[in-house]
Amino acid sequence: MRAALQLAQSGYKTAVITKVFPTRSHTVSAQGGITCAIASADPNDDWRWHMYDTVKGSDYIGDQDAIEYMCSVGPEAVFELEHMGLPFSRTEEGRIYQRPFGGQSKNYGEGGQAARTCAAADRTGHALLHTLYQGNMKNETVFFNEWYATDLVKNQDGAVVGVIAICMETGETVYIKSKATVFATGGAGRIYASTTNAHINTGDGIGMALRAGFPVQDIEMWQFHPTGIAGAGVLVTEGCRGEGGYLINKDGERFMERYAPNAKDLAGRDVVARSMVLEIIEGRGCGPEGDHVFLKLDHLGEEVLESRLPGICELSRTFAHADPVKEPIPVVPTCHYMMGGIPTNVHGQALTIDASGRDQVIPGLYACGEVACVSVHGANRLGGNSLLDLVVFGRASGLHIERALREGIDMRDASDSDIEQAMSRLDKLNSSKGGENVAALRKELQNTMQNHFGVFRNETFMREGIAKLADLRGRIEGARLDDKSMAYNTARIEALELHNLFEVAEATAITAEERRESRGAHARDDYQERDDENWLCHSMYFPTDKRVGKRAVNFEPKTVDTFQPKARTY
Amino acid sequence: MLQVSIYRYNPETDAEPYMQDVQVDTGGKDLMVLDVMELIKAQDTTVAYRRSCREGVCGSDGVNMNGKNGLACITPLSETVRDNKLVLRPLPGLPVIRDLVVDMGMFYAQYEKVQPYLQNTSPAPAIERLQSPEDRAKLDGLYECILCACCSTACPSFWWNPDRFIGPAGLLQAYRFLADTRDTATEERLSRLDDPFSVFRCHGIQNCVNVCPKGLNPTRAIGHIRNMLLSRAT
Amino acid sequence: MVTAVTSMGRSGLYDWMMQRVTAVILLAYFLFLACVLTGGVDFASWKALYSQTWMRVFSLLALLSLGVHAWVGLWAVFTDYLTERLMGTTGNVLRMLAQVVSAIIMFTYVVWGVQILWGL
């Protein structure tokens, strides 16, 4: 939507295709905030410190030119949001309120904990998404609400010239032609059985890209958020720990002091999640099954909780039957974010690599937000950086398309056979007979991913998982669609979504097995050390031959010195 | 076994809507209504409803449960089920597309009518526009709306005049921008609201307050708008 | 489409104010009457009361208020239930009819009331 806004503001004809009404996208669930060095909490704050934290957080496979761009342009993008009306919380001086988040430091890790995450209470994503939609409304962007994009249309030169989309209300299928197609389709957390992600996070963009033969990058990197409500999977913001909450095991011990003596509960998310799993494995978990730990907040007092974390209090009471004012919340690491995605440059242009290993722009295709891998998150995303990522690179994509349109984009039209090619999957599904039930297959897929590609991974287990997935491919492609009706047929959409989930899962599995090291969110029992000699690089998964290649990480920021890889401790 | 009665209508096959009885095994757990709907869909894939975040912030799954509007994902069975029976209907007052899916077009049109975006004619500063915590606090209870339409579709005035009465959800947002110290279009906003329908069809019966899943109070916001209109006119 | 042409002042605020002001007048009038009645009245004192100009003005005011109050209230009811949205063109015809009828009734009452009060 940020990209659309940019284009609509400049008067270009812009349409947003969205499978849910725009304010129902998953950004709405982001709670804690948007991290950015706007120098409110600390007047001396510097975007370079934010850059340092992000590079370190990424375990050094974040592209430093992209991180530099995000952190330096960030303040401008955040102020724009404020001018659009985003109701940020405020400081006494009237500036935007910033709270501490995990992995944040001052003075390149030397100056202690920073408070850099701009917040609208604990509803920042909601406020941001509504503000962006309102901005688009003001600028008269066209919205195709509840239209579902099924596949990319490529012309004979391999350029992307639009998408096939279904109007969910009527079932009508059309080819929507465009000079530039921007994917902002979000993540695919639903490949896991336990996830903080919404039902709609089915990796549609990744599925479409893979089916069109385009590669994905670092797709093995999945962030497990330390604090999902046990059982329900609902997210509890890191802001809770930013405001002073901490994790305890069954003995009431604040165990993060052992794992991360300096940052404690505000270490990187991967570090905290792994520590929690270790506590649970070693028998110090809470509850009758010993399968979770507690997040303690009651010591903050009712006033702080109700003013700074009202949404969390509400969620905890509803889903954990625990009132944070009085008792701790049962939490467990839960699949949260896809660091990998469609590789792009800082302009949001999707990339592939040619035979000699050089980056090649895919004409007509852009990606931003979670579906993209710019890569600013590398192997582990810092809290509050996802909202910044989507705003900064959505804006950058818009700016780039604006420029390109001014200079003129000239692409050949898609031929009938190109369109037919893109329609083939839908046609096949619509004529399917027999086959297995979609919900059952989805469950099987999610369990496979959960059990074989979770927080800790090893070769034996992953091999088994890959074999199971190989078996699932045919069964999922042949899944049954009983209901062939046109009007608001959610069964058809769910079947199409399952195909996308599978594409993401398979890419994840094959790449995870290949990366023989532990880095960021990718933790292996059998290769416990980071291997900078062989794996200080992006993985690239090529769908046509299911091959995993490598792509160099950018270590050449334009205005600052390179941050050299160091051991990552908190 | 929970007895569920669910509203069914498929425009392609049904001449008119009907209620379908389904038995659902909840395993004795106090599930959310959305979980029950998922269980029904696993049995019968043709049941259509909207859902997304399943934590009460996206506003997709507003439905009428045992006569009361609410979000299926954050309504536990214990809160709504009586005598082991659950009746699921689409939100009242809007055209039904299929089963529990309603056409929200009129609802969104009323939202758009209040121009729900910040308007400020002065040039933006290089940093953010300053706002005191007290002024920001005026937006609490307003900006949190998730546009689920539970309130407007519980409002008789909206049922009768959905094309002219803005409805509680739209008016809550109208006031959200009237109350924002950063917005300079107060006069224009108020003059657009001064007809006999937009605001004044609210008779203060507070159905909206009663059903709002986020605990917001549109009636109070409407009262504030009325007071602003009053002090502007006198 | 329901239009606002037949509302009191074509301003929602004006209608709303009229509704409240007239309600206060009616309340005052009927409370006053209730006090008089509970104090016990015979024909002579009743006649004496109504022969005073201020009482006649007060009563006329109450009568006019009743007219306005009923008009605004009924207008809201008619535009809720007798509409094109609910019953097609019939809705418009019925609503106009209902409005004309209630206008005539209220006008008649007011004229009749004036006749009674001033004994014309």
Side-chain angles (χ1 to χ4, degrees):
Chain A
M1 280 213 286
R2 185 60 187 82
L5 179 59
Q6 195 67 43
L7 291 169
Q9 274 173 345
S10 341
Y12 287 107
K13 212 166 128 192
T14 314
V16 176
I17 302 170
T18 165
K19 66 175 174 176
V20 292
F21 184 76
T23 62
R24 319 213 186 283
S25 298
H26 192 52
T27 301
V28 81
S29 293
Q31 298 167 348
I34 175 166
T35 304
C36 186
I38 60 160
S40 163
D42 172 7
N44 300 316
D45 200 9
D46 190 321
W47 65 265
R48 292 167 194 85
W49 300 349
H50 180 197
M51 179 179 171
Y52 166 82
D53 292 340
T54 307
V55 171
K56 178 182 172 191
S58 78
D59 223 347
Y60 300 96
I61 60 162
D63 288 324
Q64 298 199 6
D65 57 341
I67 299 176
E68 175 190 37
Y69 180 79
M70 178 176 81
C71 296
S72 59
V73 173
E76 202 181 323
V78 169
F79 294 142
E80 282 170 3
L81 286 172
E82 196 281 333
H83 298 155
M84 270 183 245
L86 202 155
F88 282 112
S89 300
R90 299 287 170 159
T91 63
E92 283 306 319
E93 293 76 40
R95 294 209 58 191
I96 295 171
Y97 169 73
Q98 293 183 293
R99 62 162 52 111
F101 245 51
Q104 292 179 356
S105 75
K106 296 179 183 181
N107 197 15
Y108 310 107
E110 306 294 324
Q113 178 72 41
R116 195 173 288 132
T117 301
C118 310
D122 56 359
R123 303 188 180 95
T124 317
H126 168 275
L128 187 147
L129 188 65
H130 280 249
T131 303
L132 279 182
Y133 178 59
Q134 292 163 351
N136 274 289
M137 201 188 287
K138 188 175 180 181
N139 290 285
E140 293 172 8
T141 308
V142 176
F143 280 89
F144 287 90
N145 292 334
E146 300 190 334
W147 281 65
Y148 180 72
T150 61
D151 271 297
L152 283 168
V153 177
K154 290 197 293 183
N155 69 9
Q156 50 186 311
D157 309 318
V160 171
V161 289
V163 291
I164 301 293
I166 307 175
C167 169
M168 290 166 66
E169 184 178 334
T170 62
E172 182 191 6
T173 306
V174 299
Y175 161 43
I176 297 177
K177 186 178 152 183
S178 72
K179 290 183 171 165
T181 304
V182 184
F183 272 168
T185 54
R190 286 277 154 180
I191 64 169
Y192 286 94
S194 170
T195 174
T196 64
N197 284 193
H199 285 285
I200 58 168
N201 289 22
T202 52
D204 299 330
I206 304 281
M208 285 188 264
L210 287 172
R211 271 193 302 279
F214 302 135
V216 290
Q217 175 174 286
D218 295 336
I219 195 74
E220 72 278 23
M221 298 299 182
W222 284 87
Q223 179 167 78
F224 286 79
H225 195 288
T227 53
I229 292 180
V234 173
L235 174 70
V236 174
T237 176
E238 185 164 310
C240 289
R241 283 170 284 136
E243 298 289 344
Y246 55 84
L247 296 162
I248 52 174
N249 59 21
K250 75 169 181 190
D251 307 320
E253 181 204 6
R254 184 174 182 180
F255 58 85
M256 280 313 298
E257 289 177 334
R258 265 188 283 125
Y259 297 94
N262 298 315
K264 295 179 186 134
D265 297 83
L266 287 177
R269 285 180 176 173
D270 55 331
V271 177
V272 180
R274 271 195 299 278
S275 311
M276 290 165 70
V277 172
L278 285 174
E279 286 297 300
I280 293 168
I281 290 175
E282 288 166 13
R284 290 188 294 277
C286 308
E289 314 282 330
D291 58 357
H292 56 261
V293 298
F294 279 131
L295 173 64
K296 187 172 150 56
L297 292 172
D298 52 297
H299 58 284
L300 299 177
E302 187 164 357
E303 201 182 319
V304 171
L305 290 175
E306 291 296 347
S307 66
R308 298 263 188 246
L309 304 164
I312 293 305
C313 294
E314 206 178 296
L315 286 174
S316 174
R317 285 171 199 140
T318 310
F319 288 98
H321 304 292
D323 183 355
V325 176
K326 297 182 197 120
E327 53 198 326
I329 313 174
V331 290
V332 70
T334 307
C335 172
H336 183 56
Y337 191 86
M338 174 177 84
M339 266 79 71
I342 298 170
T344 71
N345 58 24
V346 289
H347 307 300
Q349 293 177 288
L351 302 172
T352 180
I353 45 180
D354 63 13
S356 55
R358 272 193 302 267
D359 290 351
Q360 288 286 337
V361 166
I362 300 170
L365 184 64
Y366 292 75
C368 51
E370 190 168 345
V371 67
C373 181
V374 187
S375 144
V376 288
H377 309 307
N380 171 62
R381 174 172 74 78
L382 293 186
N385 267 355
S386 60
L387 292 183
L388 188 65
D389 171 15
L390 66 90
V391 171
V392 166
F393 291 106
R395 181 176 177 272
S397 304
L399 288 168
H400 189 268
I401 296 169
E402 214 177 298
R403 218 166 31 241
L405 284 170
R406 246 196 332 266
E407 287 162 9
I409 295 176
D410 191 27
M411 293 194 297
R412 281 197 268 191
D413 282 344
S415 66
D416 287 349
S417 69
D418 294 332
I419 297 171
E420 255 167 56
Q421 166 77 23
M423 287 282 296
S424 59
R425 178 170 72 110
L426 188 58
D427 291 341
K428 190 181 161 202
L429 179 70
N430 284 336
S431 58
S432 75
K433 292 187 205 74
E436 291 177 62
N437 175 284
V438 168
L441 285 168
R442 186 174 51 216
K443 202 166 189 181
E444 195 175 329
L445 174 70
Q446 290 169 337
N447 286 336
T448 306
M449 292 306 291
Q450 188 79 27
N451 296 335
H452 296 269
F453 303 92
V455 176
F456 286 104
R457 301 164 169 178
N458 70 54
E459 178 132 351
T460 336
F461 243 60
M462 285 197 283
R463 286 252 164 96
E464 273 173 37
I466 291 170
K468 284 188 186 171
L469 288 177
D471 168 57
L472 267 170
R473 176 173 272 279
R475 291 162 60 202
I476 284 177
E477 280 175 354
R480 188 172 80 225
L481 180 65
D482 294 323
D483 180 7
K484 306 259 192 332
S485 60
M486 301 293 278
Y488 222 97
N489 186 343
T490 48
R492 177 181 290 122
I493 303 296
E494 285 188 18
L496 293 166
E497 287 173 338
L498 179 61
H499 295 164
N500 293 327
L501 284 174
F502 180 80
E503 297 292 347
V504 182
E506 187 184 58
T508 301
I510 292 174
T511 322
E513 202 255 338
E514 197 72 28
R515 189 182 274 275
R516 292 188 176 82
E517 65 157 350
S518 290
R519 181 186 299 273
H522 179 65
R524 292 186 58 149
D525 302 336
D526 44 357
Y527 299 91
Q528 295 190 0
E529 297 302 317
R530 190 170 87 187
D531 179 1
D532 284 348
E533 210 166 298
N534 296 306
W535 285 105
L536 188 61
C537 63
H538 298 297
S539 69
M540 291 283 269
Y541 173 79
F542 297 90
T544 349
D545 47 2
K546 299 192 179 167
R547 175 171 57 87
V548 179
K550 292 180 180 178
R551 177 170 171 247
V553 171
N554 179 296
F555 282 100
E556 285 155 8
K558 292 191 177 65
T559 62
V560 293
D561 292 338
T562 303
F563 294 107
Q564 295 298 342
K566 291 191 289 194
R568 185 163 158 260
T569 53
Y570 283 101
Chain B
M1 291 296 254
L2 178 70
Q3 310 286 327
V4 184
S5 177
I6 183 167
Y7 180 100
R8 300 300 309 269
Y9 175 65
N10 180 341
E12 287 159 56
T13 52
D14 305 325
E16 53 186 55
Y18 62 97
M19 298 301 291
Q20 182 187 11
D21 290 319
V22 197
Q23 304 245 339
V24 180
D25 181 10
T26 59
K29 281 183 284 195
D30 187 16
L31 300 175
M32 298 294 172
V33 173
L34 180 64
D35 299 330
V36 172
M37 285 155 60
E38 299 275 302
L39 289 170
I40 295 173
K41 196 169 173 64
Q43 291 173 29
D44 177 357
T45 57
T46 64
V47 180
Y49 52 85
R50 295 188 176 101
R51 86 282 179 270
S52 178
C53 75
R54 60 83 177 88
E55 55 189 29
V57 289
C58 79
S60 300
D61 62 350
V63 287
N64 186 277
M65 297 164 284
N66 280 346
K68 188 175 174 186
N69 292 351
L71 295 178
C73 59
I74 52 169
T75 305
L77 290 176
S78 56
E79 207 174 89
T80 176
V81 169
R82 270 149 298 190
D83 300 329
N84 200 37
K85 194 151 170 61
L86 176 65
V87 181
L88 293 175
R89 289 172 173 277
L91 291 175
L94 293 174
V96 174
I97 296 174
R98 174 173 174 170
D99 299 341
L100 301 177
V101 179
V102 291
D103 181 352
M104 310 258 285
M106 285 189 288
F107 173 79
Y108 295 139
Q110 294 298 350
Y111 172 61
E112 280 181 35
K113 224 194 235 175
V114 306
Q115 305 193 346
Y117 37 79
L118 194 82
Q119 298 177 42
N120 190 320
T121 42
S122 66
I127 59 164
E128 69 267 42
R129 288 197 164 92
L130 299 183
Q131 185 176 44
S132 71
E134 293 74 32
D135 284 339
R136 168 59 183 74
K138 292 176 189 157
L139 307 182
D140 284 334
L142 305 172
Y143 81 96
E144 299 93 324
C145 172
I146 59 174
L147 300 178
C148 65
C150 286
C151 59
S152 291
T153 60
C155 173
S157 288
F158 189 75
W159 294 341
W160 311 138
N161 286 300
D163 50 347
R164 305 290 312 269
F165 174 50
I166 287 170
L171 289 170
L172 189 77
Q173 289 320 296
Y175 184 61
R176 177 245 174 278
F177 288 97
L178 285 169
D180 196 323
T181 50
R182 300 169 296 169
D183 191 278
T184 56
T186 308
E187 174 55 34
E188 295 84 337
R189 290 181 188 281
L190 286 176
S191 66
R192 276 195 312 273
L193 293 172
D194 192 18
D195 63 283
F197 283 93
S198 298
V199 176
F200 290 96
R201 273 303 150 121
C202 169
H203 302 305
I205 62 167
Q206 308 208 22
N207 274 15
C208 51
V209 183
N210 185 35
V211 296
C212 177
K214 306 308 281 180
L216 310 179
N217 191 330
T219 308
R220 189 161 56 213
I222 295 169
H224 287 310
I225 296 178
R226 212 156 38 207
N227 290 343
M228 288 178 88
L229 283 167
L230 201 58
S231 50
R232 164 177 171 268
T234 50
Chain C
M1 181 72 106
V2 172
T3 60
V5 174
T6 49
S7 89
M8 237 2 236
R10 301 194 195 181
S11 143
L13 182 68
Y14 184 80
D15 278 8
W16 183 83
M17 270 303 282
M18 288 307 274
Q19 198 74 337
R20 262 102 201 128
V21 170
T22 54
V24 170
I25 294 172
L26 286 172
L27 185 70
Y29 187 71
F30 285 110
L31 279 178
F32 172 72
L33 278 193
C35 289
V36 173
L37 288 171
T38 49
V41 280
D42 52 23
F43 178 74
S45 60
W46 187 254
K47 192 164 186 296
L49 178 64
Y50 273 89
S51 59
Q52 298 183 60
T53 310
W54 68 265
M55 185 57 193
R56 288 183 178 174
V57 172
F58 191 21
S59 302
L60 183 64
L61 194 62
L63 193 61
L64 288 170
S65 294
L66 188 68
V68 170
H69 195 87
W71 174 255
V72 173
L74 283 175
W75 181 81
V77 173
F78 296 151
T79 48
D80 266 354
Y81 300 105
L82 303 177
T83 61
E84 194 177 346
R85 240 182 60 77
L86 291 180
M87 38 183 106
T89 326
T90 330
N92 289 339
V93 175
L94 280 179
R95 190 174 70 254
M96 287 318 288
L97 211 62
Q99 285 176 344
V100 169
V101 170
S102 45
I104 291 172
I105 293 175
M106 275 174 269
F107 181 72
T108 311
Y109 273 124
V110 170
V111 173
W112 191 16
V114 171
Q115 278 182 339
I116 294 170
L117 286 171
W118 271 272
L120 295 172

